[in-house]
Amino acid sequence: MKSNKEECAENKTFYAMGMGGGRGQYIFVNQKQGLVAVFTTIISDDSLLPLQWFNNYILKE
């Protein structure tokens, strides 16, 4: 049986973001789900919005 600490460590999401020419590119990787997601946006005022979308609509956390 795994401890809560071990389970939390396995369910991390890693991400990278880049901004170029007023556009944003985001890559999300969640190892537990075996999931990689890529977003491209033209959002300039809230650069963390794609992270919220990923958590709320893809991972549903």
Side-chain angles (χ1 to χ4, degrees):
M1 179 179 246
K2 293 184 179 182
S3 70
N4 285 341
K5 187 176 180 180
E6 288 175 321
E7 288 180 17
C8 289
E10 290 179 2
N11 197 25
K12 289 183 180 177
T13 296
F14 299 92
Y15 75 96
M17 61 186 259
M19 305 296 246
R23 292 177 165 48
Q25 302 87 34
Y26 303 81
I27 301 172
F28 299 93
V29 179
N30 184 285
Q31 187 174 9
K32 183 176 182 181
Q33 301 288 331
L35 177 66
V36 175
V38 177
F39 289 74
T40 58
T41 71
I42 56 171
I43 299 171
S44 60
D45 53 336
D46 190 354
S47 63
L48 293 180
L49 193 55
L51 179 59
Q52 294 170 4
W53 294 337
F54 181 79
N55 285 328
N56 294 338
Y57 300 108
I58 296 175
L59 290 183
K60 297 182 182 178
E61 292 184 347

